[in-house]
Amino acid sequence: MSNPIQSVRGMNDCLPDAADTWQAFEAIVRDWLRRYGYREIRTPILEHTGLFKRAIGEVTDIVEKEMYTFVDELNGESLTLRPEGTASSVRAVIQHNLLYDGGKRLWYTGPMFRHERPQKGRYRQFHQVGVEALGFAGPDTDAELIVMCADLWRELGIAPTLQLNTLGDHAARQRHRARLIAHYEAHRDVLDADAQRRLHSNPLRILDSKNPAMQAINDAAPKLMDELEDEALAHFDAVQQRLHASGIAYEINPRLVRGLDYYNRTVFEWVTDQLGAQGTVCAGGRYDGLIAQLGGKPAPAAGFAMGIERLLALVDAGGRALETAAPDAYVVHAGAAAEAYAWQVAAVLRGAGLAAILHCGGGSFKAQMKKADASRARYAVIIGDDEAAAQQVTLKPLRGTGEQTRVELALAIDYLNNATT
Ligand code: HAM
C-alpha cells in the first residue's frame, strides 16, 4: 500500500468537533456584524497578482516572500491566492461602483494564504473575519471600528489589549522617510542584512525589526509623531476622545507600523500574551489612499481583520464556552413495521425543526443504543413493533437523569422542544 497523502504543510483540516465551535463563533460574529449594519461581500479567492502588489506594496514581507503565486498555464496570467481581504474588497467596490450612492459598510470571512513558516498560531492557510468601512473619512468611523471589536471581545469573554498609533498622512510620511534614511545611513555599520536591503525601499519597516542588535538604533530613530500635520493630529485626538468616552483602554505604540503599505493615520492591533509569539488577534486601520491607488474615484476607508484561529485559541484559553448544538434525537428501530414508522417519525421531527438522526444499517436494539449514545443526541427515540402499531414513540434521555416515557408523536415534539436534558 502506498503512503496516504497528507494535507499541505501549514494548511489544516477543520474536523467536525472543531467545525461545531467555528460555526458557533461564526453565528456570534454574523449577529454582531448585523447589529452594526455591516453587509457581507464575497470575492474570489484568486486574484490577479498585480492587485496585491499594488495594494499591499512591493517591498513588504507578504508580497516579497509569502504569496502563493502561479502562472495560469491556459492563458499565461499571473494569479495569486489572496493573502488578505482588503485588496479584493476594494477591487470589487471599484469594479462595481459600489460607492456611487455613498459609503458602504462591508465584511467578509474566509481562507487567506501566506507562505510563512508555520508555528502555533501561524498557518499558511488561515481564516479571517474582515470589516471594511469605505467612503467614511471621520475619526468617528475609526473609533467605532475599535469599539465594535471591544464589543465582540466582551461577548466572547476575552480581553486582548489595544495598541494604537497614527501614521499621519502621505507628506508627513515622506518627510519621516527621508529622515529615517539619513539616520540609518549615518549608522550603516550596525544595520543587519534585512535593514540594509530595506534602507531605501522601505525604511519604515526597519523600525519593526525583532533583532535585538537593532534595538538601540531604532530607539534613537526620528519619530513620525514629530512630523505629523495638525489635521492628522486632530484626527488622532478625536479618535482617542471617543475611545475614552466609550471606556476603551489603549496604549499608544509609536512602533506600530503594520506590515502592509496602504495604511495612513489611525492604525491599531489587539494583542494578547496568552498565545505565545503570535499574539496579534486583530489588526487594522485607515487606508484613505488605497481606493484611488487601485484606480477608483478617491474615497477614504478604514477597516480591520481578525485571525479566527488565534481568536478561537484565545477563547479556548479562558473565554466563553462556545455552545455547540448536539442532535436532538437518535431514532432506533427494530422490525420491518418499526423501520417504516421510524422513517415517518424522523421526517416529522425534522419537519418540526428538530435534529433527528435515523439509525441506518440495522443491528440489535443494544447495538443501536450504543450508536445513539455516541451520537451525542439528547434523546433516543425508540420504536419497536408495539410503538409502530400504537403510533407512539418511547423517549429515553441519554444525558442527565430523566425517566424513559412513551408518548404520542405530537407530544414527543413538545417534549423534545422543551426538554432541557
Ligand atoms: P494583517 O495584520 O496582515 O492585516 O492580518 C490580520 C490578522 O490576521 C492578524 O492580526 C492575525 O490575527 C491574522 N493572521 C495574519 N497572518 C496569519 C497567519 N499566517 N496565520 C494565522 N493568522 C494570521 C490584514 O490582513 C489587513 N487586511 C487588515 C485590514 C482590514 N486592514 C484594514 N482592513
Side-chain angles (χ1 to χ4, degrees):
M1 236 173 27
S2 57
N3 288 335
I5 294 175
Q6 306 282 310
S7 64
V8 175
R9 187 163 131 78
M11 304 198 179
N12 301 313
D13 299 308
C14 185
L15 301 178
D17 280 348
D20 282 347
T21 307
W22 280 59
Q23 284 188 9
F25 170 75
E26 284 159 5
I28 291 171
V29 164
R30 276 170 205 280
D31 192 57
W32 163 70
L33 290 161
R34 181 190 60 78
R35 283 182 276 135
Y36 276 88
Y38 279 77
R39 297 179 69 202
E40 186 178 7
I41 183 165
R42 302 184 187 198
T43 61
I45 286 171
L46 269 185
E47 296 274 1
H48 293 291
T49 305
L51 171 66
F52 301 116
K53 287 192 174 173
R54 264 165 80 179
I56 299 170
E58 297 262 6
V59 195
T60 56
D61 281 350
I62 296 178
V63 170
E64 278 184 337
K65 48 192 187 202
E66 294 172 2
M67 295 205 304
Y68 283 89
T69 295
F70 61 94
V71 174
D72 180 343
E73 288 179 7
L74 296 178
N75 60 10
E77 281 180 342
S78 177
L79 302 177
T80 294
L81 284 171
R82 63 180 183 197
E84 57 106 49
T86 307
S88 311
S89 304
V90 169
R91 193 240 345 111
V93 159
I94 297 170
Q95 184 172 335
H96 303 286
N97 196 23
L98 280 192
L99 299 186
Y100 79 99
D101 62 348
K104 291 285 174 299
R105 294 176 172 84
L106 304 178
W107 72 272
Y108 51 84
T109 188
M112 308 291 162
F113 302 85
R114 297 185 194 176
H115 201 284
E116 299 192 77
R117 201 167 47 76
Q119 55 171 254
K120 182 169 168 282
R122 189 165 69 192
Y123 309 104
R124 289 180 174 171
Q125 176 177 318
F126 61 97
H127 298 76
Q128 288 184 341
V129 173
V131 164
E132 315 291 355
L134 302 129
F136 303 97
D140 45 358
T141 293
D142 311 28
E144 197 196 38
L145 288 168
I146 291 171
V147 168
M148 78 188 272
C149 288
D151 225 11
L152 181 63
W153 310 154
R154 214 171 298 123
E155 202 166 333
L156 294 171
I158 56 176
T161 56
L162 175 63
Q163 303 229 325
L164 191 65
N165 192 21
T166 177
L167 301 180
D169 291 318
H170 188 67
R173 283 213 305 288
Q174 288 304 103
R175 281 196 301 278
H176 180 235
R177 183 189 150 92
R179 282 178 187 243
L180 271 183
I181 293 175
H183 169 74
Y184 288 123
E185 268 180 340
H187 299 89
R188 238 199 155 111
D189 46 323
V190 290
L191 298 188
D192 62 15
D194 249 5
Q196 298 266 6
R197 198 169 46 83
R198 288 178 159 150
L199 178 53
H200 289 279
S201 55
N202 198 348
L204 205 64
R205 293 287 292 158
I206 303 179
L207 286 174
D208 228 11
S209 169
K210 306 268 182 305
N211 182 355
M214 297 285 299
Q215 184 81 34
I217 185 182
N218 277 343
D219 285 345
K223 304 268 179 297
L224 176 64
M225 227 23 129
D226 299 333
E227 304 291 339
L228 295 187
E229 295 90 348
D230 290 348
E231 224 185 301
L233 283 171
H235 184 102
F236 196 41
D237 270 352
V239 173
Q240 292 181 63
Q241 273 170 30
R242 284 173 174 81
L243 294 183
H244 283 301
S246 305
I248 309 261
Y250 60 89
E251 183 187 312
I252 293 189
N253 177 1
R255 287 280 182 76
L256 185 66
V257 293
R258 306 281 297 122
L260 306 93
D261 282 355
Y262 46 64
Y263 293 105
N264 70 316
R265 295 203 176 179
T266 317
V267 288
F268 61 90
E269 291 192 354
W270 291 93
V271 297
T272 173
D273 55 14
Q274 284 179 268
L275 298 179
Q278 305 304 321
T280 308
V281 292
C282 176
R286 186 158 277 288
Y287 53 92
D288 292 329
L290 185 59
I291 297 177
Q293 198 183 315
L294 293 180
K297 196 165 147 243
F304 60 80
M306 59 188 92
I308 299 182
E309 286 84 355
R310 292 186 194 174
L311 262 185
L312 286 180
L314 188 57
V315 172
D316 195 45
R320 155 183 171 186
L322 292 173
E323 308 254 328
T324 60
D328 299 298
Y330 190 101
V331 184
V332 305
H333 49 86
E339 177 174 349
Y341 182 52
W343 276 66
Q344 283 179 34
V345 168
V348 169
L349 295 181
R350 291 166 188 153
L354 293 160
I357 300 177
L358 176 64
H359 179 81
C360 290
S364 67
F365 257 133
K366 197 167 161 216
Q368 293 191 32
M369 286 304 291
K370 269 197 178 159
K371 291 262 165 42
D373 250 334
S375 76
R376 304 178 305 135
R378 294 186 299 126
Y379 278 84
V381 176
I382 302 169
I383 300 170
D385 286 339
D386 276 3
E387 279 91 348
Q391 300 279 291
Q392 291 181 330
V393 298
T394 296
L395 295 176
K396 180 175 175 9
L398 297 174
R399 313 270 169 268
T401 52
E403 292 286 308
Q404 179 167 319
T405 48
R406 185 164 149 174
V407 291
E408 305 295 321
L409 182 52
L411 216 65
I413 293 171
D414 287 348
Y415 214 91
L416 290 173
N417 271 325
N418 299 327
T420 49
T421 44

